[in-house]
Amino acid sequence: MANIIDGKKISFEIKDEVKLQATELEKKGIQPCLAVILVGNDPASAVYVRNKKKACEYCNIKSLSYELEESTTEEELLELIDKLNNDKNCNGILVQLPLPSHIDENKVLLKILPEKDVDGFHPYNVGLLSIGKAVLKSCTPAGCIELLKRSGVEIEGKNCVVVGRSNIVGKPVGMLLTAENGTVTTCHSRTKNMVDFCRNADILVAAIGKPKYITGDMIKEGAVVIDVGINRGEDGKLCGDVDFESAEKKASFITPVPGGVGPMTIAMLMKNCVAACKSQNGL
Ligand code: GUN
């Protein structure tokens, strides 16, 4: 039976460290500040945004909340970002995705000043990540690495297989694993013999967006399994990209869904806010 990696517990360890740093900054008369922008009425996004604001409160980070109508134009959103870019008291800007279809997501992400891009989505920050120099790393991938490190899992020299090649998880998590000296293979929907790659993985990261896609028979005995997926299963319950029941019989460590990678994304966002604030204040 696998050790279950408790993402909720580890996320609180990180938030407590962030809170300590925010308290230190307060002594210097500085309070980190995050602007959270939500456009439209997507219920899942509303929950994420609420949780981000709650985490800010926990960490002693000020949050500015912008809840905009679905009908907001691209120009209006870009204007708001411009205003926040120029606001010295605002250290981080987060635009919750997805945006309504009439707004060009790429244009919006490019508008955010890289030093305020606490999501780590700006191509400048993605570029820094690829050369191992990022200050603001994208949150979910950085959260995966923290889970491994804080569970005592060594990455160096390991066969790391990432299933999924999205810009926000698959690609950056591969770059971070490479930076930790893992040997990384990225699999995706066009990969031939996916099962063979997976069975060879010492560390398997599932970020493909298909419920329970990775089953126990695809996992090497003793492998470490990180499940980034958040899906609704046929039974209506939340589930990951990994079939937990069969996978935990093979894995040495595994993240559950919920309570694995999920809480880490917000914890890493908080960490980025404080890092952005420090860097903008020359600290
Ligand atoms: N939508 C789903 N995940 C994320 C995230 O990490 N950041 C933002 N901004 N939007 C998201």
Side-chain angles (χ1 to χ4, degrees), residues 58-74:
Y58 182 87
C59 294
N60 199 14
I61 292 171
K62 184 177 172 185
S63 69
L64 303 172
S65 182
Y66 297 88
E67 294 182 6
L68 310 179
E69 304 268 341
E70 179 87 20
S71 60
T72 302
T73 65
E74 186 177 283

PDB file of all heavy atoms in Angstrom, residues 58-74:
ATOM      1  N   TYR A  58      -5.550  34.300   5.164  1.00  0.00           N
ATOM      2  CA  TYR A  58      -4.799  33.422   6.063  1.00  0.00           C
ATOM      3  C   TYR A  58      -3.333  33.847   6.140  1.00  0.00           C
ATOM      4  O   TYR A  58      -2.719  33.824   7.202  1.00  0.00           O
ATOM      5  CB  TYR A  58      -4.911  31.972   5.579  1.00  0.00           C
ATOM      6  CG  TYR A  58      -4.205  30.983   6.474  1.00  0.00           C
ATOM      7  CD1 TYR A  58      -4.853  30.425   7.572  1.00  0.00           C
ATOM      8  CD2 TYR A  58      -2.872  30.622   6.238  1.00  0.00           C
ATOM      9  CE1 TYR A  58      -4.202  29.536   8.412  1.00  0.00           C
ATOM     10  CE2 TYR A  58      -2.214  29.738   7.072  1.00  0.00           C
ATOM     11  CZ  TYR A  58      -2.882  29.187   8.154  1.00  0.00           C
ATOM     12  OH  TYR A  58      -2.225  28.315   8.979  1.00  0.00           O
ATOM     13  N   CYS A  59      -2.783  34.244   4.984  1.00  0.00           N
ATOM     14  CA  CYS A  59      -1.344  34.538   4.896  1.00  0.00           C
ATOM     15  C   CYS A  59      -1.013  35.995   5.199  1.00  0.00           C
ATOM     16  O   CYS A  59       0.145  36.392   5.072  1.00  0.00           O
ATOM     17  CB  CYS A  59      -0.816  34.192   3.505  1.00  0.00           C
ATOM     18  SG  CYS A  59      -0.875  32.455   3.125  1.00  0.00           S
ATOM     19  N   ASN A  60      -2.022  36.789   5.551  1.00  0.00           N
ATOM     20  CA  ASN A  60      -1.793  38.225   5.790  1.00  0.00           C
ATOM     21  C   ASN A  60      -1.348  38.952   4.519  1.00  0.00           C
ATOM     22  O   ASN A  60      -0.486  39.828   4.539  1.00  0.00           O
ATOM     23  CB  ASN A  60      -0.783  38.410   6.935  1.00  0.00           C
ATOM     24  CG  ASN A  60      -0.841  39.806   7.525  1.00  0.00           C
ATOM     25  OD1 ASN A  60      -1.796  40.558   7.265  1.00  0.00           O
ATOM     26  ND2 ASN A  60       0.168  40.186   8.291  1.00  0.00           N
ATOM     27  N   ILE A  61      -1.938  38.537   3.408  1.00  0.00           N
ATOM     28  CA  ILE A  61      -1.723  39.217   2.127  1.00  0.00           C
ATOM     29  C   ILE A  61      -3.002  39.971   1.804  1.00  0.00           C
ATOM     30  O   ILE A  61      -4.102  39.414   1.941  1.00  0.00           O
ATOM     31  CB  ILE A  61      -1.401  38.184   1.011  1.00  0.00           C
ATOM     32  CG1 ILE A  61      -0.034  37.537   1.267  1.00  0.00           C
ATOM     33  CG2 ILE A  61      -1.455  38.824  -0.376  1.00  0.00           C
ATOM     34  CD1 ILE A  61       0.289  36.359   0.365  1.00  0.00           C
ATOM     35  N   LYS A  62      -2.873  41.238   1.421  1.00  0.00           N
ATOM     36  CA  LYS A  62      -4.071  42.004   1.079  1.00  0.00           C
ATOM     37  C   LYS A  62      -4.594  41.529  -0.282  1.00  0.00           C
ATOM     38  O   LYS A  62      -3.804  41.285  -1.196  1.00  0.00           O
ATOM     39  CB  LYS A  62      -3.692  43.491   0.994  1.00  0.00           C
ATOM     40  CG  LYS A  62      -4.869  44.397   0.745  1.00  0.00           C
ATOM     41  CD  LYS A  62      -4.425  45.852   0.744  1.00  0.00           C
ATOM     42  CE  LYS A  62      -5.569  46.734   0.294  1.00  0.00           C
ATOM     43  NZ  LYS A  62      -5.184  48.120   0.164  1.00  0.00           N
ATOM     44  N   SER A  63      -5.914  41.373  -0.403  1.00  0.00           N
ATOM     45  CA  SER A  63      -6.433  41.014  -1.729  1.00  0.00           C
ATOM     46  C   SER A  63      -7.385  42.088  -2.235  1.00  0.00           C
ATOM     47  O   SER A  63      -8.191  42.630  -1.483  1.00  0.00           O
ATOM     48  CB  SER A  63      -7.098  39.640  -1.726  1.00  0.00           C
ATOM     49  OG  SER A  63      -8.280  39.650  -0.989  1.00  0.00           O
ATOM     50  N   LEU A  64      -7.210  42.424  -3.502  1.00  0.00           N
ATOM     51  CA  LEU A  64      -8.126  43.344  -4.179  1.00  0.00           C
ATOM     52  C   LEU A  64      -8.971  42.489  -5.106  1.00  0.00           C
ATOM     53  O   LEU A  64      -8.426  41.707  -5.888  1.00  0.00           O
ATOM     54  CB  LEU A  64      -7.341  44.363  -5.019  1.00  0.00           C
ATOM     55  CG  LEU A  64      -6.306  45.221  -4.311  1.00  0.00           C
ATOM     56  CD1 LEU A  64      -5.502  46.006  -5.346  1.00  0.00           C
ATOM     57  CD2 LEU A  64      -6.982  46.169  -3.325  1.00  0.00           C
ATOM     58  N   SER A  65     -10.279  42.625  -5.001  1.00  0.00           N
ATOM     59  CA  SER A  65     -11.152  41.736  -5.760  1.00  0.00           C
ATOM     60  C   SER A  65     -11.873  42.493  -6.868  1.00  0.00           C
ATOM     61  O   SER A  65     -12.480  43.538  -6.621  1.00  0.00           O
ATOM     62  CB  SER A  65     -12.162  41.148  -4.777  1.00  0.00           C
ATOM     63  OG  SER A  65     -12.990  40.254  -5.440  1.00  0.00           O
ATOM     64  N   TYR A  66     -11.781  41.963  -8.093  1.00  0.00           N
ATOM     65  CA  TYR A  66     -12.494  42.561  -9.236  1.00  0.00           C
ATOM     66  C   TYR A  66     -13.376  41.492  -9.852  1.00  0.00           C
ATOM     67  O   TYR A  66     -12.866  40.548 -10.463  1.00  0.00           O
ATOM     68  CB  TYR A  66     -11.507  43.108 -10.263  1.00  0.00           C
ATOM     69  CG  TYR A  66     -10.652  44.225  -9.715  1.00  0.00           C
ATOM     70  CD1 TYR A  66      -9.448  43.937  -9.062  1.00  0.00           C
ATOM     71  CD2 TYR A  66     -11.060  45.551  -9.803  1.00  0.00           C
ATOM     72  CE1 TYR A  66      -8.669  44.959  -8.526  1.00  0.00           C
ATOM     73  CE2 TYR A  66     -10.284  46.576  -9.262  1.00  0.00           C
ATOM     74  CZ  TYR A  66      -9.097  46.266  -8.636  1.00  0.00           C
ATOM     75  OH  TYR A  66      -8.334  47.279  -8.098  1.00  0.00           O
ATOM     76  N   GLU A  67     -14.686  41.619  -9.625  1.00  0.00           N
ATOM     77  CA  GLU A  67     -15.614  40.646 -10.205  1.00  0.00           C
ATOM     78  C   GLU A  67     -16.383  41.341 -11.310  1.00  0.00           C
ATOM     79  O   GLU A  67     -17.247  42.171 -11.065  1.00  0.00           O
ATOM     80  CB  GLU A  67     -16.500  40.059  -9.110  1.00  0.00           C
ATOM     81  CG  GLU A  67     -15.627  39.253  -8.173  1.00  0.00           C
ATOM     82  CD  GLU A  67     -16.320  38.540  -7.034  1.00  0.00           C
ATOM     83  OE1 GLU A  67     -17.563  38.548  -6.985  1.00  0.00           O
ATOM     84  OE2 GLU A  67     -15.596  37.978  -6.199  1.00  0.00           O
ATOM     85  N   LEU A  68     -16.000  41.030 -12.548  1.00  0.00           N
ATOM     86  CA  LEU A  68     -16.513  41.773 -13.699  1.00  0.00           C
ATOM     87  C   LEU A  68     -17.597  40.989 -14.428  1.00  0.00           C
ATOM     88  O   LEU A  68     -17.592  39.750 -14.447  1.00  0.00           O
ATOM     89  CB  LEU A  68     -15.357  42.089 -14.667  1.00  0.00           C
ATOM     90  CG  LEU A  68     -14.097  42.723 -14.057  1.00  0.00           C
ATOM     91  CD1 LEU A  68     -13.049  42.938 -15.145  1.00  0.00           C
ATOM     92  CD2 LEU A  68     -14.399  44.026 -13.348  1.00  0.00           C
ATOM     93  N   GLU A  69     -18.491  41.754 -15.039  1.00  0.00           N
ATOM     94  CA  GLU A  69     -19.597  41.155 -15.809  1.00  0.00           C
ATOM     95  C   GLU A  69     -19.054  40.312 -16.975  1.00  0.00           C
ATOM     96  O   GLU A  69     -18.023  40.651 -17.557  1.00  0.00           O
ATOM     97  CB  GLU A  69     -20.449  42.268 -16.441  1.00  0.00           C
ATOM     98  CG  GLU A  69     -21.008  43.279 -15.469  1.00  0.00           C
ATOM     99  CD  GLU A  69     -22.383  42.879 -14.979  1.00  0.00           C
ATOM    100  OE1 GLU A  69     -23.017  42.045 -15.651  1.00  0.00           O
ATOM    101  OE2 GLU A  69     -22.789  43.387 -13.912  1.00  0.00           O
ATOM    102  N   GLU A  70     -19.818  39.295 -17.325  1.00  0.00           N
ATOM    103  CA  GLU A  70     -19.523  38.448 -18.492  1.00  0.00           C
ATOM    104  C   GLU A  70     -19.315  39.297 -19.756  1.00  0.00           C
ATOM    105  O   GLU A  70     -18.506  38.982 -20.638  1.00  0.00           O
ATOM    106  CB  GLU A  70     -20.714  37.484 -18.690  1.00  0.00           C
ATOM    107  CG  GLU A  70     -20.620  36.542 -19.854  1.00  0.00           C
ATOM    108  CD  GLU A  70     -19.892  35.245 -19.528  1.00  0.00           C
ATOM    109  OE1 GLU A  70     -19.785  34.891 -18.351  1.00  0.00           O
ATOM    110  OE2 GLU A  70     -19.413  34.611 -20.496  1.00  0.00           O
ATOM    111  N   SER A  71     -20.063  40.427 -19.819  1.00  0.00           N
ATOM    112  CA  SER A  71     -20.044  41.283 -21.017  1.00  0.00           C
ATOM    113  C   SER A  71     -18.843  42.239 -21.060  1.00  0.00           C
ATOM    114  O   SER A  71     -18.702  43.015 -22.012  1.00  0.00           O
ATOM    115  CB  SER A  71     -21.335  42.103 -21.073  1.00  0.00           C
ATOM    116  OG  SER A  71     -21.430  42.903 -19.904  1.00  0.00           O
ATOM    117  N   THR A  72     -17.969  42.184 -20.060  1.00  0.00           N
ATOM    118  CA  THR A  72     -16.786  43.055 -20.041  1.00  0.00           C
ATOM    119  C   THR A  72     -16.012  42.895 -21.353  1.00  0.00           C
ATOM    120  O   THR A  72     -15.798  41.776 -21.815  1.00  0.00           O
ATOM    121  CB  THR A  72     -15.871  42.666 -18.855  1.00  0.00           C
ATOM    122  OG1 THR A  72     -16.636  42.775 -17.664  1.00  0.00           O
ATOM    123  CG2 THR A  72     -14.631  43.542 -18.779  1.00  0.00           C
ATOM    124  N   THR A  73     -15.600  44.025 -21.936  1.00  0.00           N
ATOM    125  CA  THR A  73     -14.854  43.930 -23.200  1.00  0.00           C
ATOM    126  C   THR A  73     -13.372  43.672 -22.915  1.00  0.00           C
ATOM    127  O   THR A  73     -12.882  43.935 -21.816  1.00  0.00           O
ATOM    128  CB  THR A  73     -14.976  45.223 -24.037  1.00  0.00           C
ATOM    129  OG1 THR A  73     -14.344  46.284 -23.299  1.00  0.00           O
ATOM    130  CG2 THR A  73     -16.418  45.578 -24.324  1.00  0.00           C
ATOM    131  N   GLU A  74     -12.695  43.174 -23.941  1.00  0.00           N
ATOM    132  CA  GLU A  74     -11.256  42.935 -23.839  1.00  0.00           C
ATOM    133  C   GLU A  74     -10.541  44.236 -23.468  1.00  0.00           C
ATOM    134  O   GLU A  74      -9.649  44.256 -22.628  1.00  0.00           O
ATOM    135  CB  GLU A  74     -10.764  42.410 -25.188  1.00  0.00           C
ATOM    136  CG  GLU A  74      -9.326  41.985 -25.188  1.00  0.00           C
ATOM    137  CD  GLU A  74      -8.942  41.404 -26.542  1.00  0.00           C
ATOM    138  OE1 GLU A  74      -9.294  40.252 -26.818  1.00  0.00           O
ATOM    139  OE2 GLU A  74      -8.309  42.141 -27.330  1.00  0.00           O
TER     140      GLU A  74
END
